[in-house]
Amino acid sequence: MSVLRRADAWEISESEEETDIETKSQLNQDEISQTTTTSSHCSSDLKRKTSPATRSGSDRTSASLPHHGSDTPGPARKRRSREEVEADRERARERREARESQRATRAQEKDERRQEQQRRTEAAENLRSLRPENCLKSLTVCIDPALLQHDGSDLLLDTLAAYEWRFSLESQQLPNSITWTRDAPQQGGGSLGLLEEDQTVLLLGLTDFLDMVISVKKMLNSEGEETGVGSFLSPLLERLNRDAKKVVTLLVTDSQQDYRTDACGVPSGLGIESMDVEEALVYLQLCKNISAVFLDGWQEVTNHVCAVTKALSKRPYKLLTERTELPFCVDGSWASGVRVERDGSGLIQVWSKQIQQLNRVSPGVASTVTAAYPSPQLLLQAYESLGSEEERKGLLAGLIVKSGGKDRRLGPEVSARVYRCFTAQNPQLVLD
């Protein structure tokens, strides 16, 4: 009875559970259908209320939103250690310092290029200013006002004005003299200074020149005593004693041309012996650097002053172009010169040319010496390493010189001359 009761109970409970499941399933389907119907009604109502522009915007917004599905999240970022952070900072600092160093190097190179360009420009301007036509503009002819009292002196002023040369009327240390000054730039730039030329022209009449000759004769008879000399010679000698580099030219002229010149160029008819005049002129030229020129009036005086002015304008450029250079190191491509490049190529040829300056030293001998000692410094070091004088003199004697298919020794004579050339302290020593 109990068994039947349990079975009936089991059957009843199973049927009830199935009924409940069916009931719940039916309810769920009804709810889903009702929810779908409601959502469809709501979306239709929303579509009717929403404008087309709003719908399109919402569509774009929904399209642009990222899709979050069931994708797995990305790996977590690894945290760096303190050593790695410090290493990154150090590398960043090194890169920053490298950039700053490169920037400073570029700025320095740019500054050096600018300075080099400025030096070249200044050198070109200085060279341009040294040309005679430009240097003539910096010269000033300084004329003593006492000369304007002579008849014909206006010819000199008119000629200088016609040439457009600068001249000034100012008192000179020597009366009746003409000097020259040049504009010279001061160190450090700025204003121009005046540089006095070494040339001085002193105008004398025949009578004044005669007095000077007599004064010179008296001075020579008194064994060179300069006290008590004439009025014209005394200030002249005093001026030369203060500046021994001055070159004075005496322009002897007179309006009364009652004299003649002899075969030696010394005027006659001065009331003094020709020998005394010649003796005075030789003394003045050799001992006092004073020369005398005899002229026929102010036209020749004007020509002489113009000639001296032109010569002074050409002097700076001539001094620059006539500067002596070493014959074995000439900046050119001719037969006796060697050009040295910036990378040092050509120095061995210069070294060989230098040895060839000695007498009876052929190119083969010079090549042998330069092959054994490629530079003068190496040869001097070899001399210093030897103990005795005889060893130094014979250092190069055993070198083999190849010439004409035959080999020969350089010899002790050439070796000794090369040694004396590079080690002698006496500049007057005769090497050969």
Side-chain angles (χ1 to χ4, degrees):
M1 186 68 182
S2 60
V3 175
L4 294 176
R5 190 178 291 116
R6 283 196 300 268
D8 293 338
W10 172 257
E11 290 176 358
I12 292 172
S13 60
E14 187 177 358
S15 62
E16 287 177 354
E17 185 177 358
E18 289 177 358
T19 305
D20 293 336
I21 292 173
E22 291 177 358
T23 305
K24 290 179 180 180
S25 174
Q26 184 66 30
L27 290 175
N28 290 335
Q29 289 180 1
D30 294 340
E31 290 175 359
I32 291 172
S33 60
Q34 184 178 0
T35 304
T36 302
T37 305
T38 307
S39 60
S40 62
H41 286 294
C42 292
S43 26
S44 61
D45 294 339
L46 184 61
K47 286 181 181 180
R48 284 194 300 267
K49 294 179 180 179
T50 304
S51 61
T54 306
R55 288 199 303 270
S56 61
S58 62
D59 294 339
R60 286 195 301 266
T61 304
S62 62
S64 61
L65 291 175
H67 177 69
H68 297 284
S70 61
D71 297 339
T72 59
R77 185 176 180 179
K78 184 179 179 181
R79 186 173 183 179
R80 296 185 300 170
S81 62
R82 178 175 299 179
E83 290 77 6
E84 293 176 346
V85 173
E86 293 295 333
D88 291 342
R89 290 179 179 176
E90 183 67 21
R91 286 192 295 269
R93 186 181 62 81
E94 292 177 355
R95 289 194 297 268
R96 183 170 61 255
E97 291 179 353
R99 288 194 299 269
E100 292 177 355
S101 176
Q102 292 178 359
R103 191 180 301 108
T105 303
R106 288 194 296 267
Q108 182 179 2
E109 293 177 354
K110 184 178 180 180
D111 186 62
E112 291 178 355
R113 288 194 299 269
R114 183 174 63 255
Q115 293 179 358
E116 180 66 20
Q117 183 66 26
Q118 184 177 0
R119 285 193 295 267
R120 291 181 180 179
T121 303
E122 292 177 356
E125 292 178 355
N126 294 334
L127 181 61
R128 193 180 302 110
S129 64
L130 293 180
R131 293 186 177 275
E133 60 274 11
N134 296 326
C135 188
L136 190 59
K137 300 177 182 179
S138 64
L139 285 174
T140 302
V141 184
C142 304
I143 305 173
D144 190 81
L147 293 175
L148 300 181
Q149 300 177 4
H150 297 263
D151 295 337
S153 59
D154 55 342
L155 181 61
L156 174 62
L157 301 181
D158 294 341
T159 303
L160 296 178
Y163 286 149
E164 296 182 354
W165 293 350
R166 296 191 305 180
F167 64 91
S168 64
L169 300 176
E170 54 187 43
S171 298
Q172 304 297 315
Q173 296 181 356
L174 291 177
N176 298 315
S177 65
I178 300 175
T179 59
W180 287 263
T181 59
R182 184 193 307 274
D183 295 338
Q186 299 288 345
Q187 294 183 354
S191 60
L192 297 177
L194 290 180
L195 177 64
E196 187 176 357
E197 297 289 347
D198 57 355
Q199 296 292 326
T200 300
V201 171
L202 178 61
L203 271 73
L204 294 177
L206 291 177
T207 305
D208 299 331
F209 176 73
L210 178 60
D211 294 340
M212 182 175 292
V213 172
I214 296 173
S215 300
V216 171
K217 185 177 180 180
K218 291 179 180 180
M219 186 175 59
L220 294 177
N221 293 334
S222 61
E223 297 181 355
E225 184 67 28
E226 296 182 0
T227 59
V229 297
S231 59
F232 287 96
L233 185 59
S234 179
L236 178 57
L237 296 180
E238 183 181 355
R239 178 74 176 91
L240 293 177
N241 290 333
R242 290 197 304 267
D243 190 357
K245 296 182 180 180
K246 280 291 183 181
V247 179
V248 179
T249 303
L250 302 178
L251 300 184
V252 183
T253 183
D254 199 292
S255 59
Q256 299 176 357
Q257 301 179 6
D258 54 353
Y259 62 90
R260 298 180 304 275
T261 57
D262 56 14
C264 298
V266 178
S268 60
L270 297 177
I272 192 172
E273 294 182 3
S274 177
M275 185 62 65
D276 296 335
V277 175
E278 291 181 1
E279 184 179 358
L281 292 177
V282 170
Y283 171 78
L284 292 175
Q285 186 170 5
L286 296 182
C287 299
K288 301 300 180 180
N289 202 17
I290 300 174
S291 59
V293 180
F294 299 93
L295 303 176
D296 295 335
W298 273 93
Q299 181 60 54
E300 293 188 1
V301 172
T302 301
N303 296 338
H304 183 85
V305 172
C306 293
V308 174
T309 305
K310 291 181 180 179
L312 291 176
S313 67
K314 296 177 181 179
R315 175 186 289 181
Y317 193 76
K318 283 187 176 181
L319 292 177
L320 181 64
T321 55
E322 294 176 0
R323 184 179 301 171
T324 58
E325 300 287 350
L326 296 177
F328 55 84
C329 188
V330 179
D331 188 7
S333 58
W334 57 298
S336 298
V338 177
R339 184 180 182 87
V340 179
E341 303 295 340
R342 292 187 176 182
D343 58 354
S345 59
L347 287 175
I348 189 67
Q349 288 82 5
V350 173
W351 173 219
S352 178
K353 287 285 186 180
Q354 187 176 1
I355 299 177
Q356 294 180 43
Q357 301 305 303
L358 299 174
N359 292 334
R360 301 187 305 278
V361 174
S362 63
V365 173
S367 300
T368 302
V369 176
T370 56
Y373 303 96
S375 69
Q377 186 65 29
L378 294 177
L379 180 58
L380 293 177
Q381 291 176 0
Y383 284 141
E384 293 175 356
S385 64
L386 299 177
S388 64
E389 189 77 8
E390 295 299 327
E391 290 178 348
R392 297 189 186 98
K393 289 183 179 179
L395 175 64
L396 306 177
L399 297 179
I400 303 300
V401 180
K402 297 181 180 181
S403 60
K406 298 180 180 180
D407 297 344
R408 62 180 180 87
R409 295 172 64 249
L410 189 142
E413 192 269 338
V414 176
S415 177
R417 281 198 292 136
V418 173
Y419 170 72
R420 288 195 298 269
C421 177
F422 288 97
T423 60
Q425 300 296 327
N426 182 13
Q428 305 298 331
L429 178 64
V430 179
L431 298 176
D432 193 1

